[in-house]
Amino acid sequence: MAKIKVSRENKDRVFRLIFGGNDKSWTLSLYNAVNGSAYTNPDDITITTIEDVLYLNMKNDVSFLIADTMNIYEHQSTYNPNMPLRMLLYAGMLYSAYAQDLNTYSDRLQRLPAPKMIVFYNGKKKLDDEIVLRLSDAFQEGMKGDIEGTVHMLNINSGSNMELMERCRPLSDYSKFVSNVRLLKAQGKEMADAVHQAIRDLGDDSPIKGYLQKMEAKVLRSCITEYDEQKVMDKFKEEYIAEGLQKGLQAGRAEGHAAGLQKGLKEGRAETQTLTAKRMLESGKFTLEDIARFSGLPIKAVENLAAKN
């Protein structure tokens, strides 16, 4: 099969820059805030984040071991009900690496760290402070399985989860930074000016302000990537819906509007999914995983399309 090239340059999100291990005290603060614990030694944390596993098209945001738990943290700026499956795949890779030091054929039980899967959400869609997503939600109706995956989605938009924010100053300041960038962009500011001002507006006692100032160029690239991706995705969404409706109207002329619209939308789905994926590939701004998630195509189908380009 042809080699698939995926550009990962400058794909790190600001969330990952802050909590991905640059300063493990911030990661520890986030862990304590989420779990109501009071650990004080950042060296108790072992970072296990998956880095650019290209052949599996996998890269998670932050994962680490502490206190007999395998913590898998993801940041999302769009609501994604498929996070239990994605995080189960991440967990499988992390446990596979962890098990290399275990004798899984032993007659003695091999102890494992307990998985804790958290999504930090700061998208524009209004959501509750916490939503519990389960792998079983995706099972066919009436079906029960032997594997379950539970993900807690925490809303970290400004004004949400106030107790959590009070317990973790780096997270609170990150939330304020994102909110201010969005506000300044909405007021017509260029992204560079918005990022610069949003960093400057953080309090002088902010634990992350100095780091963001030092890394401002990389923070700006990350913000531009996220902003451009959202704009392109919104555009693709408009075109996706428009094409599906057009096919429905064409079918409606032959079979009656209501029935034809339904049939046309169904028939046009596969074609518009493929077209959306192709356009996203051509833009060069998305990972294969992003394309599969947005277009609705299986990751294998996206890989096949990428190999042909």
Side-chain angles (χ1 to χ4, degrees), residues 34-48:
V34 169
N35 294 280
S37 53
Y39 290 93
T40 58
N41 185 5
D43 290 334
D44 288 341
I45 286 178
T46 301
I47 300 295
T48 60

Side-chain angles (χ1 to χ4, degrees), residues 163-187:
E163 291 186 10
L164 178 67
M165 298 298 180
E166 290 174 2
R167 294 196 296 265
C168 183
R169 178 67 186 276
L171 182 66
S172 177
D173 286 355
Y174 166 73
S175 176
K176 292 175 183 176
F177 167 77
V178 172
S179 178
N180 285 341
V181 169
R182 286 178 178 167
L183 177 61
L184 292 165
K185 280 293 297 176
Q187 293 173 349

Side-chain angles (χ1 to χ4, degrees), residues 185 189-199 216 220 224:
K185 280 293 297 176
K189 293 273 189 181
E190 294 293 330
M191 181 62 80
D193 294 332
V195 168
H196 181 71
Q197 184 172 331
I199 294 175
E216 185 167 332
L220 175 60
I224 289 174

